[in-house]
Amino acid sequence: MSFRLSTVEETHAFGTRLAGILRPGDLLLLTGPLGAGKTALVQGIGAGLKVVGSITSPTFVIARVHRADVGRGGVVPLVHADAYRLGDAPDPRAEIDDLDLDASAEDAVTVVEWGAGMVEQLNDEYLGVRIDRLEDDTRVIELRPCGGDWAERIKEL
């Protein structure tokens, strides 16, 4: 299933809608070139989940945990990780294991940018999200359900 979004604001809004079908234990794997809109999408997811604080790219810290803002109705924390720098590691899967992302995976929504081929072992079922940015700045988001009930859930979007 794919979506065409004209602006960064639409990408953010799509992330907010996507948050509406997410639940604790979900894993999303984001792929796409630099500047495609991965972090903008996660910002929308964070807004939809009503997490505390602003969402920025975790490229240099690798992972951030955003608590749910219960005062605003948030109930699910967001773990936002970026495996971009881990791609050069001799054993990127070991680096991912060292982050202990699976420690909070059951209670949170985990979104990993650049994680394809490295984090699928965190969950038997996940949603692959490919984002491409065209020359006219349109973003094309392709959702690839992997196991579980993802295929049914994304129909709600």
Side-chain angles (χ1 to χ4, degrees), residues 1 5 11-12 20 22 24 26 32 34 42 46 58 60 71 73 86 97 111 117 121 123 129-130 141 145 157:
M1 178 177 289
L5 307 169
T11 303
H12 188 274
L22 300 178
D26 282 347
L34 288 169
V42 179
F60 296 104
L86 301 181
D97 287 342
V111 180
Q121 77 273 8
N123 199 327
V129 181
R130 170 80 193 178
I141 296 181
L157 298 171

Side-chain angles (χ1 to χ4, degrees), residues 64-127:
R64 287 194 172 96
V65 177
H66 299 275
R67 294 180 296 109
D69 187 342
V70 290
R72 290 185 12 206
V75 294
V76 181
L78 171 67
V79 176
H80 181 203
D82 187 330
Y84 182 75
R85 291 187 347 178
L86 301 181
D88 293 335
D91 185 1
R93 285 180 165 223
E95 297 282 334
I96 290 291
D97 287 342
D98 288 344
L99 292 175
D100 280 336
L101 292 177
D102 56 344
S104 58
E106 288 184 21
D107 301 321
V109 169
T110 303
V111 180
V112 183
E113 298 184 32
W114 303 95
M118 290 186 265
V119 299
E120 292 86 348
Q121 77 273 8
L122 293 175
N123 199 327
D124 292 335
E125 48 196 61
Y126 59 90
L127 181 64

Side-chain angles (χ1 to χ4, degrees), residues 33-47:
L34 288 169
K38 293 179 293 297
T39 300
L41 181 69
V42 179
Q43 289 168 338
I45 292 170

